[in-house]
Amino acid sequence: GAVVSQHPSWVICKSGTSVKIECRSLDFQATTMFWYRQFPKQSLMLMATSNEGSKATYEQGVEKDKFLINHASLTLSTLTVTSAHPEDSSFYICSARGGLLTRETQYFGPGTRLLVL
Amino acid sequence: DAKTTQPPSMDCAEGRAANLPCNHSTISGNEYVYWYRQIHSQGPQYIIHGLKNNETNEMASLIITEDRKSSTLILPHATLRDTAVYYCIVSPYTGANSKLTFGKGITLSVRP
């Protein structure tokens, strides 16, 4: 139980295009989802927290107009990187929490590797 | 900034117990101690969490000191697949501040 999936697992795009990453909780209802970013040899950095049906709360320094987060259902959240640039190349990881068995614990997806050329 | 302190690295022999320490001297009364690990190029994996009592599951044991200022994660019989970065994180159970802030973690290397 408590499985989180992400799609795609990796994506390459041209500079200036937008990329959407999906995060799904497969066997529980995720009332809260989180998006992290990880650069090589660094730790995970929290980008934003989203509660189902509400606007996401972004961490300081994260541009909300560049990283659009939608959490429209209890099993799906999406992160859209708008007008991507090479410096946005990173490992994007989502996590989810919610439900009776997972209310205290965040479970992470496998991550999406983004390369912007 | 992360509220925990961990040594940067340690190693242990395969089959032996791995004891990973963590200091969290400023932990608040409503904060849990969580342990996650990240194997190279994968998302973090949940291991265990606790508030003040010692906890055990199929993966590991968590020993929390009585004053809650430090804890130890124990992998009872380490295997090569346990080589990873292990993160000790303190966080409230609920509320706006209930989110995981990752530090640098400790790199565990299990040698054959």
Side-chain angles (χ1 to χ4, degrees):
Chain A
V3 179
V4 177
S5 70
Q6 283 183 241
H7 178 79
S9 56
W10 58 269
V11 56
I12 302 173
C13 69
K14 292 182 179 179
S15 184
T17 61
S18 295
V19 175
K20 179 184 285 188
I21 302 170
E22 292 186 347
C23 175
R24 295 181 184 272
S25 56
L26 299 185
D27 52 2
F28 67 99
Q29 293 186 325
T31 52
T32 306
M33 284 184 163
F34 305 83
W35 286 95
Y36 292 79
R37 180 167 56 178
Q38 185 175 33
F39 292 107
K41 299 190 184 301
Q42 295 186 20
S43 189
L44 284 77
M45 284 179 42
L46 179 64
M47 299 175 67
T49 302
S50 72
N51 293 298
E52 186 266 338
S54 303
K55 287 184 178 180
T57 301
Y58 290 81
E59 295 296 304
Q60 192 172 10
V62 178
E63 299 175 58
K64 65 175 75 173
D65 294 331
K66 180 168 184 64
F67 299 99
L68 302 180
I69 292 171
N70 184 282
H71 189 174
S73 78
L74 284 172
T75 60
L76 174 65
S77 175
T78 60
L79 167 67
T80 301
V81 183
T82 62
S83 186
H85 291 287
E87 58 265 30
D88 298 323
S89 298
S90 188
F91 190 45
Y92 291 87
I93 311 167
C94 73
S95 68
R97 182 182 69 204
L100 291 177
L101 296 180
T102 61
R103 63 191 185 281
E104 296 181 349
T105 306
Q106 287 183 36
Y107 290 90
F108 286 80
T112 296
R113 201 161 295 280
L114 170 64
L115 177 60
V116 184
L117 301 177
Chain B
D1 290 337
K3 297 172 64 175
T4 62
T5 304
Q6 300 176 256
S9 63
M10 66 175 291
D11 63 23
C12 75
E14 189 177 20
R16 304 298 294 269
N19 298 305
L20 286 67
C22 180
N23 286 321
H24 31 81
S25 58
T26 60
I27 191 170
S28 300
N30 67 338
E31 290 182 317
Y32 281 64
V33 180
Y34 291 86
W35 282 85
Y36 286 79
R37 72 181 182 185
Q38 186 176 27
I39 297 171
H40 184 61
S41 298
Q42 298 181 23
Q45 178 188 22
Y46 166 76
I47 301 173
I48 199 167
H49 74 283
L51 183 61
K52 55 183 177 181
N53 297 323
N54 297 336
E55 302 287 345
T56 296
N57 62 21
E58 64 278 4
M59 288 185 69
S61 294
L62 174 60
I63 308 299
I64 303 175
T65 58
E66 193 169 341
D67 62 7
R68 300 206 327 124
K69 293 185 177 182
S70 65
S71 61
T72 302
L73 178 75
I74 301 173
L75 307 178
H77 305 287
T79 70
L80 297 179
R81 289 181 296 180
D82 292 323
T83 292
V85 179
Y86 287 76
Y87 297 97
C88 168
I89 304 167
V90 297
S91 174
Y93 160 42
T94 60
N97 291 323
S98 180
K99 54 190 178 182
L100 301 179
T101 301
F102 285 77
K104 296 181 179 179
I106 178 173
T107 299
L108 173 66
S109 299
V110 181
R111 61 181 187 275

